[in-house]
Amino acid sequence: MCDSETPPAEAVQQSTRRGFISKLSSLAMVGALVTAYGSLAGFFGRFFYPARPPGRNWLFVSEVAQLAVGDSIPYQLPGGSPVHITRHGDSGGAQDFLALSSTCPHLGCQVHWEARHQRFFCPCHNGTFNPEGKATGGPPADAGQSLLQYPLKVENRLLFVEAPQGELALGHGAPSSSHPCSQPDRNERRA
């Protein structure tokens, strides 16, 4: 009987441990490669098949007769975005109205309409915007920024504003009254 025929128990145990560690490291490398190539495939997929822009829907704002020429009402989109809707004309069509974001593009402060000065004013850094939303003073003018404009339509003497579909999932649009800066000064309501 030769001792070389039967390996010692310690050698068998060490061989089994090495095999396990070797298989474990191989499995870890395969997992890392799958993760890396999967991420790369995801990036290529987004590049070649970009996401579609969200759909848009029309939300009721007011009856056309409720807004006189020169009036501006605050309105809140379902996602919470504040909008000022102003009437500039008297024909009764959508071209008479203008819907502008009430959020200053400079730092996100709330602008309000000043009928006496015929402008939107941002109290944070004295930013001013003309009635069409173009910056005329302060940091927004220096940066060439304007207020975001929302499309409007009139059907059956009812005024509607177009809002991103993602905002519709959050709730219903309504006239805004939650923030004191969003309301125009009652003494300045009419020019």
Side-chain angles (χ1 to χ4, degrees), residues 82-107:
V83 176
H84 265 286
I85 300 172
T86 309
R87 185 167 188 176
H88 297 288
D90 201 7
S91 70
Q95 68 277 5
D96 292 346
F97 299 91
L98 185 64
L100 297 171
S101 172
S102 298
T103 303
C104 180
H106 175 236
L107 289 178

Side-chain angles (χ1 to χ4, degrees), residues 72-74 84 112-113 180-189:
S72 178
I73 62 167
H84 265 286
H112 62 272
W113 175 248
C181 292
S182 68
Q183 295 293 327
D185 184 358
R186 295 296 173 211
N187 298 330
E188 294 186 6
R189 179 117 182 151

